[in-house]
Structure formats: C-alpha cells, structure tokens
C-alpha cells in the first residue's frame, strides 16, 4: 500500500495561483505503473476528479472545469506529482486529495484509487 502526502494548499484571491505537490511512498516499480490523480471535495458536494497522470506513459486527463487552467506533472525521480493551478476561481475552493491507482485509471473514478492522502485545503476568495 502506498502512502501519499499532499502539500501546497492555502488561501488565494481569485485569479491567483497555487502549486500542489503529492509525494508518493511506494517502490519505483509500482510508481512507474501507477495513475496519480488529484480529486477535490467541497462541503456538501461529491468528490470529483480534477486531473490525473499515468506515470507509465505520461498520459494525462483533466476535468472540463479545469482544462486550460490546471496542469499536472510528475518528477519521477522524486516520485512526486504536482498540480499547478492558475487563474483560480472561488468555485475551485475545496479539500484537494491525491490518490494512487494501479495501471491507467484516467477516467478519474474515485473507486479505482485504493490509496489516498489526507488532503490539503485550497480556498479561493472573490
């Protein structure tokens, strides 16, 4: 089982930027065949997939609501996945979680991801 630790959350004004990081503690082999994804959950709402990257092939996928604003990337040597969030909107306010699934899981369905971090809060004020 992998351990994931998020960092980089905070409070910003609308239009600002934040960079989230997810450090993944797992063997190099398992990391290389994983999908690492970011999900978010706002109070009273369901958890939704934001962005994911398949470490084995570098394929990515994004929710429509963040396309063009968020970019997911990885540092495979450090087994760390980043989420660069630009042009933030108040509706991006949520707890952000990173999660790991085995193999390509780019549909970003929460049930496909058995390993989760504790989350980091992002608050965007208008």
């Amino acid at each position: 089982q992998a351990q994931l630790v998020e960092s980089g959350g905070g409070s910003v004004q609308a239009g600002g930027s934040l960079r989230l990081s997810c450090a993944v503690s797992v063997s190099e082999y398992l990391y290389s065949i994983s999908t690492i994804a970011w999900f978010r959950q706002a109070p009273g709402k369901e958890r939704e997939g934001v962005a994911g990257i398949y470490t084995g092939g570098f394929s990515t996928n994004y929710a429509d609501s963040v396309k063009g604003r968020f970019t997911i990337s990885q540092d495979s040597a450090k087994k760390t996945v980043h989420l660069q969030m630009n042009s933030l909107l108040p509706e991006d306010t949520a707890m952000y979680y990173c999660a790991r699934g085995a193999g390509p899981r780019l549909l970003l369905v929460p049930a496909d991801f058995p390993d989760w971090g504790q989350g980091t809060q992002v608050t965007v004020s208008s």
Side-chain angles (χ1 to χ4, degrees):
Q1 185 175 1
Q3 290 188 323
L4 299 97
V5 178
E6 302 98 335
S7 61
S11 298
V12 295
Q13 291 191 326
S17 298
L18 284 173
R19 188 190 194 211
L20 305 184
S21 296
C22 174
V24 184
S25 296
V26 71
S27 70
E28 289 188 9
Y29 170 70
L30 288 180
Y31 179 84
S32 70
I33 57 169
S34 298
T35 297
I36 308 298
W38 288 93
F39 294 81
R40 66 186 181 188
Q41 188 166 21
K45 294 189 176 182
E46 291 186 357
R47 190 168 295 189
E48 64 170 343
V50 175
I53 184 167
Y54 176 52
T55 61
F58 293 82
S59 299
T60 59
N61 190 28
Y62 297 88
D64 288 343
S65 59
V66 307
K67 282 181 181 176
R69 300 189 297 123
F70 291 11
T71 302
I72 191 169
S73 63
Q74 65 162 334
D75 183 338
S76 56
K78 296 181 178 179
K79 291 183 284 185
T80 299
V81 172
H82 303 288
L83 184 68
Q84 179 67 43
M85 305 187 296
N86 298 328
S87 303
L88 283 161
L89 304 170
E91 49 264 44
D92 294 319
T93 295
M95 183 71 79
Y96 282 70
Y97 300 89
C98 69
R100 177 192 167 269
R105 295 284 182 262
L106 292 175
L107 292 179
L108 306 182
V109 175
D112 288 340
F113 293 80
D115 302 320
W116 292 80
Q118 294 299 308
T120 185
Q121 178 68 38
V122 171
T123 302
V124 184
S125 58
S126 58

